Amino acid sequence: MEALAAMELKDGDWQVQVHVIEARQLKAENMDGTSDPVVYVKLGDQSQHTAIMKGTTSAVFDHHMFFNFPKLTRAEVEALTIDVSVFDANILLSSELIGKFVFDAVDVYYQPHHCYHRRWVGLVDPTNGKDRGLQGYLRLSVSVLGPGDKLYVPGDGEADSVAAASAGGAKDGGVRAVGRRAVRARRRCTARRRPPWS
């Protein structure tokens, strides 16, 4: 804990790495009871996405994303959020939001090893009044690295313990709420009510 207390945000080059692992129990948006999920990750003016998975409500993406931010100031780092959204991809119509989750980059940075490892998050849709509660689950790893930081790679023996710590860590998780429904949904998705497969 002393090492965490001694950390400070420095001006310089920053990198955010996101590993989108899998999604489960996504809300079905298609008439056949499935969705065509695609995950978008947005940081500032940068955005990346996974491949589209056709006709499913559970999918393995295993997709790595890298976001580089040269010469960020401390204030810019403090304002940085990691917006993770899952959409139902449509060819003719615009894609529909299934759900989203927002991390504060600073909260991730102050975690041990500057990361959330293999963390399950509950997805909410703050844009649609009909979609109440959780709209599915997404498992991902997020690392925020500042000047001079090294990427943490857990060994075989500690991967499970890191995953367990990430899943049951902070009650609030540093999540920036996205409307009142998101706050209620986040409160329901506590360590006691994690998905049964985690």
Side-chain angles (χ1 to χ4, degrees):
M1 286 310 251
E2 291 176 19
L4 287 176
M7 277 193 284
E8 66 176 82
L9 301 176
K10 300 175 186 171
D11 293 358
D13 297 342
W14 287 75
Q15 183 180 72
V16 176
Q17 298 183 17
V18 179
H19 179 201
V20 179
I21 301 168
E22 63 179 307
R24 293 205 184 165
Q25 296 181 359
L26 296 175
K27 180 185 176 215
E29 298 283 357
N30 297 338
M31 298 291 277
D32 64 355
T34 66
S35 286
D36 303 317
V38 57
V39 180
Y40 280 83
V41 178
K42 186 174 188 302
L43 285 94
D45 60 354
Q46 298 183 38
S47 180
Q48 297 181 34
H49 62 86
T50 65
I52 298 169
M53 301 296 180
K54 297 282 189 184
T56 185
T57 56
S58 295
V60 174
F61 294 98
D62 193 21
H63 186 92
H64 293 268
M65 301 176 188
F66 301 88
F67 299 87
N68 294 306
F69 298 93
K71 300 180 184 171
L72 281 187
T73 65
R74 178 187 174 114
E76 290 170 322
V77 174
E78 289 173 343
L80 195 60
T81 59
I82 304 162
D83 189 317
V84 181
S85 302
V86 180
F87 286 90
D88 174 42
N90 294 316
I91 295 172
L92 300 177
L93 303 171
S94 62
S95 296
E96 297 176 70
L97 179 67
I98 295 174
K100 68 186 299 180
F101 192 89
V102 181
F103 292 94
D104 284 323
V106 171
D107 179 65
V108 177
Y109 185 73
Y110 283 123
Q111 297 301 310
H113 309 293
H114 311 301
C115 71
Y116 282 126
H117 182 71
R118 301 178 58 82
R119 182 177 182 141
W120 282 106
V121 296
L123 302 169
V124 294
D125 181 358
T127 64
N128 188 339
K130 297 177 187 174
D131 291 340
R132 295 179 181 216
L134 295 176
Q135 305 300 305
Y137 300 93
L138 186 66
R139 188 175 215 177
L140 66 167
S141 295
V142 180
S143 297
V144 176
L145 304 172
D149 293 332
K150 303 274 188 240
L151 178 64
Y152 171 71
V153 180
D156 292 338
E158 62 184 322
D160 292 334
S161 63
V162 171
S166 293
K171 293 176 191 167
D172 198 37
V175 177
R176 181 165 290 172
V178 196
R180 277 185 279 162
R181 282 190 313 234
V183 172
R184 285 196 300 269
R186 185 183 70 209
R187 287 182 185 148
R188 286 193 299 264
C189 189
T190 61
R192 290 189 310 273
R193 300 194 62 196
R194 286 194 315 268
W197 54 84
S198 64

